Amino acid sequence: MDAKVPVGHSACPHDCPSTCALDVELIGNGRIGRIHGAKDNDYTAGVICSKVARYAERIHHPDRLLYPLRRKGPKGTRSFERISWDDALDITAEAMLAAEREHGPEAVWPFYYAGTMGLVMRDGINRLRHAKRYSEMYASICTTLAWTGFIAGTGKLAGPDPREMAKSDLVVIWGTNPVNTQVNVMTHAVRARKTRGAKIVAIDIYRNATMEQADLALCLRPGTDGALACAVMHVLFRDGYANWPYLERYTDCPRELESHLRTRTPEWASAITGLAVAEIETFARMIGTTPRTYLRLGYGFSRQRNGSVNMHAASCIASVTGAWLHEGGGAFHNNGAIFRWDRTLIEGLDAADPGVRVLDMSRIGPVLTGDPHDIGDGPPVTALFIQNMNPVQVAPEQRLVKKGFAREDLFVCVHEHFMTATAEMADIVLPATMFLEHDDIYQGGGHQYILLGPKLIEPPGECRSNHDVIVGLARRVGAKHAGFDMTPREIIDWTLRKSGWGTLEELEERKWIDCQPDFETAHYLNGFAYPGGRFRFRPGWPEVPVGRKHEWGISHLPPPLPDHWDVNEKADARHPFRLATSPARSYLNSSFNEMPSSRAREGRPRAKIHPDDLAALGIGDGARIRMGNERGEIVIHAEAFDGVQRGVVIVESIPPNSLFEGEEGLNTLTSAVQAAPFGGAAFHDNHVWIAPA
């Protein structure tokens, strides 16, 4: 970093657990230079991903939206004209009011997700929702399955200090590819290897960059992680590695679990996972002989119909060995429960009406096409206001999503940075600020910091922040709440004070707050978060205390104890392959799709298929293929790749729809099924057929 260039301090806003602390080169005239990881933040530790390091390419992109636009041609023809902000907000507000007059407020659906992870800019849309009694949005698309599975055991979404990975003797990276998605996990795991001689185990469904850095890499079939976890615990009990004093004191039914697992042998798991018996035995012994084992559990292996069960089963291993007792030991997924936010002002929770209907965001396609399962006896959605989300590209069952957006009676307003696939289907498009152009506050998912992201530069053109747009709409539709009369800085200060984290002025001086609980609390040595203080091998799925859940009539379905739950979409004679849509290194969902450097690094979309499978199909490496199922089909290029088991296909996601023939994107093939117990998208759980194009 050039010592002569002024530096601003911020936090990465993107949908990644690392939430890196950033040092931003401010080169003048509203422009930034390189972005660096903050060296004085001991989780970021000076390391960030290459996407964010090149952020100047994104924030100063010539294709950024700069002015409000109104559609002037038929839907989807991408014909827009520039209009004023007043006209854009007036048109949008009138459409929302018209929907309310005709069908009631539930005909309006504010829709958002994690295009920014800032609490004010991401979640402020809910204040408008609650003040007006618009339809609720059940945020199922990313975390529901994973969080439910982890909380099933611990009773709380928290675990050992993530920095303890550097103090571990065995780091198990399970169901996540942090080289692509959370680079700081590798920072601390590799530090343990260098300073302690620690081993790294990576468990995934294809040979990726993280697997290549591991001492032991276990490449299993999609959706079989529960079987592997059960076989590991079988060996731990069988060979005397189970910590019985710990089990008797801290867990609910260890003898019942031991009995249940007697038939879950490595041979049984080998047939399910495709791993060799010797691999399973080796992995189990490594855990059994290493008290300081840190299980870093990711999101990827939860995105199956049996995902919550898989997550719970993997988390149980640390309680069988008592790894929680040790610094550098235990199981960690996310630290969301440690921040104890009072979100009343940000989200307008004091105005929330529990009687308002709830719509599942993962099922936006069925919702917009009027599926009775989703809209029930309520009205159709006729006004859709979208921030921080690109559902036409990233939501499951893309053909249904596009059909819903094409409805002539549906008004759509999209507030965005670029002309995304969703914005192209909108009636009104509004230009949005990026994270360095507004004030916000962030929390770590993969760590323990609250971080401030202050406004560092002026936005280009007429870009406005999410908060400003929400306030403008609120005034026009008659929504009343104190938060609409406050600035983002005032909301941040109020939220910090009410949550017990001090003041905005104090945070500005400190840059971040370390919220990590003490060792005994983080390791549950004072008891787990359930009544009675015991880790639950038998969670009682309908009662798992996740903060965000909805009863869709499926909560009772998962097995009562850890197991391989065989409910995933089956390969069959018509669909002999299993497709998973794993994260790409240079994209983050559909963010960074617009950057030329990211597109150049990712290249054209490719389906990674075992060479023997391609040979059996008579398809050559690099050939165009068709891939499909009952939800649709796409054209893509094949890549001969021996880093998967036979019958498994990996497409690193999510390439722009425009890179596919006919703009039939990858999520044409993914299912909007609601996975038990509380819903969630099964993005990595799809059967497909493959044929030459």
Side-chain angles (χ1 to χ4, degrees):
M1 190 183 306
D2 188 340
K4 298 178 182 178
V5 176
V7 173
H9 307 293
S10 190
C12 180
H14 285 282
D15 187 10
C16 166
S18 288
T19 317
C20 292
L22 305 177
D23 292 337
V24 184
E25 296 178 353
L26 304 175
I27 61 177
N29 298 318
R31 299 185 69 84
I32 67 167
R34 192 80 173 171
I35 293 182
H36 305 267
K39 293 181 180 178
D40 52 341
N41 180 286
D42 59 4
Y43 186 76
T44 300
V47 180
I48 60 171
C49 70
S50 61
K51 298 185 291 291
V52 175
R54 322 190 292 276
Y55 213 86
E57 182 183 339
R58 186 170 198 268
I59 202 166
H60 304 309
H61 197 295
D63 293 340
R64 269 192 76 173
L65 294 169
L66 300 178
Y67 309 102
L69 302 172
R70 173 173 57 194
R71 175 172 61 87
K72 66 176 183 179
K75 284 198 173 189
T77 56
R78 302 167 185 167
S79 179
F80 293 89
E81 60 185 356
R82 179 177 170 180
I83 59 174
S84 71
W85 265 103
D86 280 341
D87 285 348
L89 292 176
D90 287 346
I91 292 166
T92 301
E94 176 51 39
M96 296 164 80
L97 290 167
E100 185 176 354
R101 286 192 298 268
E102 183 172 2
H103 298 291
E106 289 182 342
V108 181
W109 196 17
F111 193 90
Y112 76 106
Y113 203 57
T116 177
M117 296 291 279
L119 272 61
V120 176
M121 299 301 167
R122 181 189 65 193
D123 301 330
I125 192 172
N126 288 324
R127 193 182 328 119
L128 179 64
R129 181 197 315 280
H130 294 144
K132 289 292 294 180
R133 309 309 194 257
Y134 294 149
S135 280
E136 290 285 349
M137 188 197 79
Y138 183 60
S140 61
I141 202 162
C142 179
T143 64
T144 300
L145 287 160
W147 289 5
T148 300
F150 189 85
I151 295 169
T154 61
K156 185 171 70 172
L157 188 64
D161 188 331
R163 294 165 294 195
E164 287 184 28
M165 278 183 285
K167 301 177 181 179
S168 178
D169 296 322
L170 175 62
V171 180
V172 179
I173 299 172
W174 197 325
T176 182
N177 179 11
V179 170
N180 278 17
T181 61
Q182 307 179 53
V183 65
N184 308 99
V185 169
M186 297 307 297
T187 297
H188 296 282
V190 171
R191 183 175 295 165
R193 172 188 277 163
K194 289 181 177 178
T195 61
R196 302 179 59 84
K199 301 298 184 183
I200 297 174
V201 175
I203 304 168
D204 217 313
I205 57 174
Y206 75 116
R207 189 181 66 239
N208 52 43
T210 303
M211 298 272 272
E212 289 175 352
Q213 293 193 28
D215 298 286
L216 176 65
L218 301 177
C219 183
L220 39 60
R221 295 176 182 136
T224 63
D225 305 80
L228 173 59
C230 286
V232 167
M233 290 187 285
H234 168 95
V235 173
L236 296 175
F237 281 116
R238 183 197 70 193
D239 293 353
Y241 296 124
N243 187 331
W244 280 105
Y246 181 89
L247 285 162
E248 297 288 3
R249 179 178 176 184
Y250 284 103
T251 69
D252 62 342
C253 57
R255 299 290 175 182
E256 183 181 5
L257 178 69
E258 180 189 30
S259 176
H260 165 71
L261 294 174
R262 284 197 181 111
T263 59
R264 274 57 173 183
T265 64
E267 290 76 13
W268 166 85
S270 174
I272 296 168
T273 64
L275 296 171
V277 171
E279 290 180 293
I280 298 171
E281 293 273 5
T282 296
F283 177 42
R285 281 195 304 274
M286 290 174 73
I287 288 178
T289 58
T290 313
R292 295 179 192 271
T293 293
Y294 195 107
L295 292 152
R296 183 58 175 85
L297 306 174
Y299 287 94
F301 75 125
S302 73
R303 292 182 178 135
Q304 317 271 344
R305 287 163 175 80
N306 62 5
S308 288
V309 172
N310 292 341
M311 174 65 77
H312 175 242
S315 74
C316 289
I317 293 170
S319 291
V320 173
T321 64
W324 297 99
L325 293 167
H326 306 283
E327 187 177 32
F332 181 87
H333 172 62
N334 183 288
N335 245 344
I338 72 172
F339 298 104
R340 61 173 197 273
W341 292 114
D342 184 334
R343 297 175 178 265
T344 302
L345 187 62
I346 291 175
E347 298 196 46
L349 298 179
D350 49 346
D353 180 351
V356 172
R357 76 166 173 189
V358 178
L359 301 175
D360 185 344
M361 72 175 304
S362 296
R363 292 183 57 79
I364 186 173
V367 167
L368 294 183
T369 52
D371 192 319
H373 169 80
D374 298 281
I375 67 171
D377 57 3
V381 172
T382 58
L384 191 62
F385 173 61
I386 301 174
Q387 291 183 319
N388 313 324
M389 183 60 169
N390 183 14
V392 172
Q393 183 173 330
V394 307
E397 299 194 20
Q398 190 178 106
R399 285 185 175 177
L400 272 185
V401 177
K402 290 177 176 177
K403 181 178 178 181
F405 271 83
R407 282 171 37 207
E408 288 299 328
D409 66 328
L410 175 68
F411 174 86
V412 178
C413 175
V414 174
H415 187 202
E416 253 297 357
H417 300 137
F418 296 94
M419 188 60 76
T420 63
T422 304
E424 290 173 346
M425 297 296 293
D427 299 281
I428 295 291
V429 179
L430 306 175
T433 52
M434 291 191 186
F435 77 107
L436 297 175
E437 300 161 355
H438 56 240
D439 295 303
D440 214 335
I441 191 170
Y442 304 86
Q443 69 177 53
H447 59 74
Q448 67 297 319
Y449 282 110
I450 291 171
L451 305 100
L452 182 65
K455 180 179 177 179
L456 296 178
I457 60 174
E458 291 298 322
E462 297 179 8
C463 294
R464 292 189 185 179
S465 74
N466 289 7
H467 175 77
D468 288 342
V469 172
I470 293 294
V471 167
L473 287 175
R475 290 171 180 161
R476 288 167 169 81
V477 300
K480 305 295 183 184
H481 192 274
F484 298 134
D485 300 318
M486 299 171 68
T487 67
R489 288 178 61 85
E490 290 170 333
I491 293 172
I492 291 168
D493 187 64
W494 185 98
T495 302
L496 286 167
R497 291 172 185 268
K498 289 291 185 179
S499 305
W501 295 120
T503 67
L504 173 57
E505 183 180 3
E506 292 167 345
L507 180 56
E508 284 184 303
E509 184 176 345
R510 298 163 60 182
K511 294 193 290 188
W512 46 72
I513 302 169
D514 188 339
C515 304
Q516 183 62 41
D518 61 81
F519 177 84
E520 288 74 16
T521 301
H523 285 251
Y524 298 101
L525 300 186
N526 300 318
F528 287 88
Y530 280 110
R534 293 178 179 268
F535 183 94
R536 292 197 177 179
F537 296 127
R538 178 184 283 275
W541 289 100
E543 287 77 47
V544 172
V546 288
R548 187 172 65 214
K549 66 181 180 182
H550 193 77
E551 179 51 69
W552 303 106
I554 54 178
S555 63
H556 63 287
L557 295 177
L561 289 166
D563 214 337
H564 170 60
W565 191 29
D566 189 18
V567 294
N568 287 8
E569 190 163 84
K570 301 289 189 298
D572 56 30
R574 172 62 178 150
H575 311 89
F577 295 93
R578 298 285 314 286
L579 166 69
T581 58
S582 302
R585 187 167 189 172
S586 298
Y587 299 146
L588 202 171
N589 301 320
S590 67
S591 296
F592 302 96
N593 278 182
E594 67 288 328
M595 286 170 55
S597 61
S598 289
R599 290 200 183 198
R601 292 177 186 215
E602 292 302 320
R604 66 189 183 191
R606 306 175 305 283
K608 297 177 182 291
I609 304 170
H610 196 282
D612 293 345
D613 285 331
L614 287 178
L617 293 167
I619 294 172
D621 183 21
R624 287 170 63 251
I625 60 171
R626 290 187 301 122
M627 184 160 58
N629 55 29
E630 61 271 33
R631 295 177 284 275
E633 64 180 76
I634 66 174
V635 176
I636 193 169
H637 287 80
E639 177 187 346
F641 181 70
D642 63 4
V644 289
Q645 294 201 29
R646 290 201 63 179
V648 176
V649 181
I650 304 293
V651 179
E652 292 188 326
S653 63
I654 304 171
N657 292 350
S658 60
L659 295 185
F660 291 87
E661 295 184 21
E663 301 197 9
E664 293 269 25
L666 182 59
N667 280 310
T668 301
L669 306 179
T670 57
S671 171
V673 65
Q674 289 173 317
F678 304 126
F683 281 112
H684 303 334
D685 183 4
N686 313 282
H687 64 203
V688 292
W689 51 260
I690 295 172

